[in-house]
């Protein structure tokens, strides 16, 4: 959980001649809100009208030098980052410190918002852990949420195809990672869509939402009272159902031991046990002195980028 930041940039914009992107199709469907030169690449913030959500959605995008310099040519791999409760599309790009190494490695970074905004569903702004800022990266099946709260379909069927068709992003080399609620989203979407996501990692993820207060509240509201439907969006349950290890290159999870949500909400030991039972390679690192915030995330960001690069660039 992190408060929403205000985006700012102190970087000098990259000269326009270096930013001749082949994105004419994209500009007809999106509004570029701002762009900033960043480590030889380009940091952008967008808004577009989502057909699947039925509302305007925002996302941020970092393109490394390999993608924005015309003479470089070719397509680059991309990492999708899913932020946690109360965050938005700006949080990761402004607080995680990922662009420097992403530019060096040649990785694009994509960060969507954490929920629809403006649906005017009764009660959607009453709780910080449900509704606005807390879409849990699934498709709601219960009214009145089912119409707009369709984050899984939005990400997998709309946003990523849009970017891959409009920019120099390789749709066959996409990884996913995230934090807290976004860590839950990264793990579950990777396990549900292994054909789309080729690598996965997480920071302090909600590993067994069916067995914690955050998940109980969200799943009850979005998916209904029938708990048999919850397992399809629970990383530990999904892993336990796998017939073979879905990620032979391994999964990386970092968890701070001073995280106040660890005992009641996160349960990494349950995902660890499920991976062991299915033979899935997992590196679960537990760190003394680190909490749930972005100082923790920034401390180990380079390791996650290199984890994904080893699988997407090989």
């Amino acid at each position: 959980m992190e408060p929403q930041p205000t985006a700012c940039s102190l970087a000098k914009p990259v000269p326009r001649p270096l930013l001749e992107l082949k994105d004419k199709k994209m500009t007809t469907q999106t509004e570029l809100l701002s762009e900033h030169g960043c480590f030889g690449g380009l940091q952008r913030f967008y808004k577009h009208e989502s057909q699947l959500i039925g509302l305007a959605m925002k996302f941020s995008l970092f393109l490394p030098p390999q993608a924005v310099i015309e003479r470089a040519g070719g397509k680059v791999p991309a990492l999708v980052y899913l932020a946690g409760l109360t965050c938005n599309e700006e949080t990761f790009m402004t607080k995680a410190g990922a662009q420097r190494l992403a530019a060096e490695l040649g990785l694009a970074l994509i960060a969507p918002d954490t929920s629809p905004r403006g649906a005017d569903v009764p009660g959607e702004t009453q709780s910080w852990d449900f509704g606005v800022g807390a879409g849990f990266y699934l498709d709601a099946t219960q009214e009145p949420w089912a119409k707009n709260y369709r984050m899984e379909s939005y990400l997998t069927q709309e946003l990523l195809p849009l970017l891959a068709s409009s920019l120099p992003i390789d749709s066959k080399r996409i990884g996913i990672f995230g934090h807290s609620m976004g860590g839950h989203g990264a793990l579950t979407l990777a396990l549900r869509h292994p054909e789309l996501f080729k690598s996965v990692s997480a920071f302090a993820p909600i590993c067994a939402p069916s067995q914690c207060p955050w998940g109980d509240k969200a799943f009850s509201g979005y998916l209904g009272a029938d708990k048999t439907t919850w397992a399809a969006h629970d990383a530990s349950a999904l892993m336990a159902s796998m017939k073979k290890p879905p990620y032979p290159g391994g999964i990386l999870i970092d968890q701070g031991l001073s995280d106040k949500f660890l005992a009641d909400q996160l349960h990494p030991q349950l995902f660890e046990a499920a991976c062991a039972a299915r033979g899935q390679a997992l590196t679960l690192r537990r760190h003394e002195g680190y909490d749930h915030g972005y100082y923790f995330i920034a401390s180990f960001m380079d390791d996650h980028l290199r984890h994904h690069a080893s699988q997407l660039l090989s």
Side-chain angles (χ1 to χ4, degrees):
M1 180 189 70
E2 286 289 322
Q4 296 178 359
T6 299
C8 64
S9 174
L10 300 178
K12 183 178 180 180
V14 177
R16 270 319 284 187
L18 299 184
L19 304 179
E20 296 300 325
L21 304 183
K22 299 177 181 179
D23 64 349
K24 294 181 180 179
K25 178 179 177 182
M26 185 174 174
T27 59
T28 65
Q29 303 178 48
T30 66
E31 177 185 353
L32 178 62
L33 300 175
S34 66
E35 61 180 18
H36 316 273
C38 187
F39 293 103
L42 177 64
Q43 178 65 58
R44 283 180 165 181
F45 296 89
Y46 282 102
K47 179 172 72 173
H48 75 123
E49 294 296 329
S50 168
Q51 295 181 1
L52 286 174
I53 297 292
L55 296 165
M57 293 293 291
K58 292 182 179 180
F59 65 91
S60 57
L61 170 71
F62 172 73
L63 290 169
Q66 296 85 340
V68 304
I69 299 176
E70 187 175 14
R71 63 178 178 272
K75 294 186 175 183
V76 297
L79 294 181
V80 178
Y81 179 88
L82 305 181
L85 293 165
T86 77
C87 296
N88 62 19
E89 77 286 348
E90 297 178 352
T91 310
F92 169 73
M93 296 299 185
T94 58
K95 300 185 76 170
Q99 292 96 331
R100 178 192 59 79
L101 184 56
E104 178 183 323
L105 295 172
L107 298 172
L109 302 172
I110 302 163
D113 202 350
T114 49
S115 77
R117 304 203 182 236
D120 295 327
V121 176
E124 71 173 358
T125 61
Q126 291 181 358
S127 302
W128 64 272
D129 55 357
F130 183 74
V132 171
F136 272 79
Y137 305 104
L138 50 76
D139 288 357
T141 60
Q142 302 299 300
E143 298 299 339
W145 309 96
K147 178 181 178 180
N148 304 115
Y149 279 70
R150 305 182 62 198
M151 291 300 293
E152 178 175 3
S153 291
Y154 168 68
L155 290 169
T156 60
Q157 299 177 29
E158 186 171 15
L159 181 59
L160 289 179
L162 169 66
L163 296 179
S165 67
S166 308
L167 292 168
I169 289 174
D170 188 345
S171 63
K172 296 182 179 179
R173 293 188 294 164
I174 296 178
I176 189 167
F177 66 149
H179 168 232
S180 192
M181 177 187 71
H184 142 76
L187 294 175
T188 56
L189 292 184
L191 294 175
R192 288 170 59 82
H193 303 277
E195 75 287 350
L196 176 58
F197 300 110
K198 305 306 179 184
S199 58
V200 58
S201 70
F203 297 92
I206 306 172
C207 289
S210 297
Q211 302 182 53
C212 75
W214 278 343
D216 186 77
K217 183 175 183 177
F219 286 3
S220 295
Y222 294 139
L223 302 176
D226 182 2
K227 293 188 177 183
T228 62
T229 66
W230 296 7
H233 303 280
D234 183 305
S236 296
L238 280 168
M239 182 58 72
S241 70
M242 294 287 158
K243 295 182 179 179
K244 62 179 181 179
Y247 286 94
I251 297 172
L252 173 62
I253 293 177
D254 279 302
Q255 175 62 60
L257 293 180
S258 295
D259 188 327
K260 65 181 180 180
F261 301 114
L262 175 57
D264 295 333
Q265 303 282 11
L266 305 180
H267 302 314
Q269 74 281 359
L270 298 181
F271 186 71
E272 183 179 39
C275 286
R278 289 296 173 264
Q280 171 61 57
L282 170 69
T283 300
L284 172 56
R285 306 190 302 186
R286 297 172 170 90
H287 303 281
E288 293 282 355
Y290 287 90
D291 59 21
H292 198 69
Y294 268 79
Y295 296 116
F296 156 64
I297 293 170
S299 297
F300 302 103
M301 178 56 62
D302 284 7
D303 293 344
H304 283 249
L305 296 182
R306 294 188 189 282
H307 165 81
H308 288 276
S310 69
Q311 298 180 50
L312 299 177
L313 295 172
S314 60

